[in-house]
Amino acid sequence: MISIKDKKDCCGCWACANACPRQCVRMKEDEEGFLYPEVDADTCVDCGLCEKVCPVINAAEADEPHAQWGYLLQHRDESVRRESTSGGAFTALAAWVIRHGGVVFGAGYRQGSFVVEHQAVTRVEDLGIFRNSKYVQSMMGGNVYKQVQKYLHEGRSVLFSGTPCQIEGLRHYIPQDAEYSGLICVDLVCHGIPSPRILERYIDAQSSLIGGRFTNVLFRDKYYGYHYSSFSIYNEDRSKDYHKGVDTNAYLRAFFNNLSDRPSCYDCKFKKRYRHSDLTLWDCFPIEKFTKEWDGKGTTRVLAHTEKGRKLVEAVRDDVRLMEVEPDRLVDGVREMFHSVPYNPKRPQFFRDCNEMQPVDFFNKWFPVTLKVRLNAFARLACHKLGIYTLAKRLFMVFYTRRDERKGN
């Protein structure tokens, strides 16, 4: 039976709970708001299926090279691209699958709440719930993988999107035989997966400060544009809408300071180029690095790992702008594809305060909006409005990289 002795050895993919034939594996929330498997020893028959499907236990040691194809993609429907985190690639791929009788699984809000969970969609008009990145670990549930298997058994194609660890969990759960050739797996270049408890506390804090009724929460909104995306909260009273960038928004500051991630994210087993998915999607901020003809309103990099993935990308050509790019060039400099996030030694205190303090006080303590923070936000927004944000960011990174190199010498 599966037993988690070190929390970094569980990515929370739910594969073990889905695989248990006696349903004696339940996912239990810990003091940080993450879920871990707990086995009822009285009903367990020690069949070993929970260990057999665990992606961490069965993680491949080496990044084994295989054929790949690289692309840049922009959805032709500007409203879709506006609502998407980057170029709208997932919507284009998912819509094609649905139009051909398939089912799409992705992470969206549970109806009537801001709890992120994996769910199935069979209508193109419902794909909007999956658009925009969700910077929080999604609830997979004890039957999602079973639902995927059921649809495949019925002969329907299934496009399943998720983090690399979720994809590997599904791949270990689904038998690799011809009957399930209709499964298409799409993962992303993942920074890390924050705790649902931090999001819950943050929404509680903002509810106290803003008031009204929240209608949507977007982690990567293009309110200011693609290159300076904002954390946005939309309100029933539109005068109360909230838009803040990574420099001032407390939730994003926690995320990018590596305070809120799951323990397994600091030693991720799935940071690699050659993946077990069919497609990997991620941002392309420096579009000018590849072409001067495309705009900067959002572009997706697409790395196809299988012939099945390549054919799906080629199938959506009429719905998108598509450019082929050499895979080596596509992944060059993409640190988050290969490296885990560094552990923040302040993390234990961060979670203790989260559990002990009132939400507003907690976020004010950890992320005060000081004069320095305000000036940073003003400078970023000014650069964006002047159209030099990308150049300024690049010069900033060069300056600090050279400064660190001098310090190292």
Side-chain angles (χ1 to χ4, degrees):
M1 75 178 68
I2 199 159
S3 177
I4 307 301
K5 295 181 173 59
D6 189 330
K7 288 185 175 180
K8 72 177 179 59
D9 293 330
C10 175
C11 61
C13 71
W14 292 74
C16 55
N18 276 260
C20 181
R22 298 179 65 87
Q23 298 182 326
C24 61
V25 179
R26 71 185 185 101
M27 300 297 285
K28 184 178 179 181
E29 186 176 308
D30 75 348
E31 67 281 357
E32 296 180 345
F34 293 110
L35 297 171
Y36 294 87
E38 187 175 84
V39 180
D40 182 350
D42 293 333
T43 57
C44 176
V45 294
D46 206 21
C47 66
L49 281 177
C50 54
E51 294 178 322
K52 184 178 179 180
V53 301
C54 175
V56 175
I57 291 175
N58 299 287
E61 291 293 331
D63 193 357
E64 299 177 5
H66 56 244
Q68 292 179 319
W69 299 265
Y71 302 90
L72 297 178
L73 185 153
Q74 292 182 344
H75 204 292
R76 292 189 186 277
D77 186 329
E78 290 304 317
S79 64
V80 168
R81 190 158 63 122
R82 168 66 180 81
E83 294 174 5
S84 303
T85 300
S86 50
F90 178 74
T91 296
L93 300 169
W96 189 94
V97 170
I98 289 176
R99 287 196 298 265
H100 288 78
V103 184
V104 174
F105 284 80
Y109 290 124
R110 180 184 299 166
Q111 188 171 9
S113 76
F114 294 112
V115 174
V116 177
E117 64 180 9
H118 260 67
Q119 48 198 286
V121 159
T122 56
R123 302 192 311 163
V124 172
E125 54 266 37
D126 293 333
L127 287 173
I129 65 171
F130 298 146
R131 286 199 277 273
N132 205 274
S133 296
K134 310 296 190 298
Y135 285 168
V136 66
Q137 182 157 33
S138 64
M139 296 278 289
M140 189 62 67
N143 66 345
V144 170
Y145 294 162
K146 294 176 184 176
Q147 290 177 41
V148 173
Q149 193 171 36
K150 174 179 175 292
Y151 283 123
L152 292 170
H153 186 68
E154 293 172 354
R156 300 182 71 175
S157 58
V158 174
L159 188 152
F160 188 96
S161 66
T163 58
C165 54
Q166 290 171 335
I167 295 299
E168 296 243 10
L170 177 63
R171 284 294 197 189
H172 282 88
Y173 176 85
I174 298 290
Q176 302 299 306
D177 55 38
E179 183 179 3
Y180 300 121
S181 60
L183 177 62
I184 305 164
C185 291
V186 178
D187 68 6
L188 50 111
V189 174
C190 176
H191 177 89
I193 42 178
S195 165
R197 182 172 299 174
I198 301 300
L199 178 60
E200 179 186 356
R201 295 289 193 274
Y202 180 73
I203 292 176
D204 286 345
Q206 292 301 92
S207 295
S208 299
L209 295 170
I210 298 172
R213 190 181 76 84
F214 296 170
T215 59
N216 202 3
V217 174
L218 300 179
F219 300 80
R220 286 276 306 279
D221 193 15
K222 292 177 181 174
Y223 179 78
Y224 294 116
Y226 177 52
H227 290 277
Y228 185 59
S229 55
S230 67
F231 191 108
S232 293
I233 300 174
Y234 288 90
N235 207 301
E236 199 168 53
D237 178 354
R238 298 304 302 272
S239 68
K240 296 179 181 291
D241 286 355
Y242 167 96
H243 308 281
K244 295 293 181 181
V246 65
D247 34 45
T248 53
N249 178 263
Y251 189 84
L252 293 180
R253 290 169 72 184
F255 178 55
F256 288 109
N257 277 284
N258 308 316
L259 287 164
S260 56
D261 295 317
R262 190 179 181 94
S264 59
C265 296
Y266 302 102
D267 184 24
C268 180
K269 307 299 183 186
F270 314 105
K271 293 281 189 179
K272 54 189 176 182
R273 169 174 168 174
Y274 298 96
R275 305 185 175 201
H276 292 164
S277 58
D278 296 291
L279 296 166
T280 296
L281 311 180
W282 74 103
D283 282 294
C284 183
F285 289 114
I287 185 61
E288 66 281 354
K289 175 181 175 182
F290 300 97
T291 176
K292 305 295 184 182
E293 298 178 4
W294 287 15
D295 63 42
K297 297 179 181 179
T299 303
T300 307
R301 295 192 230 199
V302 182
L303 186 63
H305 302 283
T306 65
E307 185 67 20
K308 187 194 305 182
R310 185 193 69 79
K311 287 181 177 179
L312 179 57
V313 175
E314 295 291 343
V316 303
R317 275 188 178 272
D318 290 344
D319 299 321
V320 303
R321 288 180 285 275
L322 194 66
M323 178 186 300
E324 294 188 42
V325 177
E326 174 63 35
D328 287 348
R329 189 176 173 212
L330 197 71
V331 305
D332 182 47
V334 184
R335 179 176 175 79
E336 289 184 331
M337 175 171 276
F338 304 100
H339 301 283
S340 300
V341 294
Y343 181 78
N344 190 324
K346 295 181 181 179
R347 184 181 179 281
Q349 186 61 52
F350 176 77
F351 276 100
R352 281 195 294 271
D353 286 349
C354 171
N355 290 326
E356 295 171 3
M357 300 176 70
Q358 291 298 311
V360 173
D361 296 333
F362 166 63
F363 287 105
N364 282 341
K365 172 187 173 180
W366 280 87
F367 307 106
V369 183
T370 62
L371 177 61
K372 181 180 179 180
V373 170
R374 292 179 188 276
L375 289 173
N376 184 23
F378 175 81
R380 284 175 181 255
L381 191 54
C383 287
H384 168 70
K385 289 181 177 179
L386 292 170
I388 60 170
Y389 185 83
T390 303
L391 175 61
K393 184 177 179 180
R394 189 180 302 122
L395 292 174
F396 177 86
M397 293 300 296
V398 169
F399 171 79
Y400 276 93
T401 299
R402 290 179 177 175
R403 186 195 67 172
D404 292 342
E405 288 174 351
R406 288 195 298 270
K407 285 183 177 180
N409 293 333

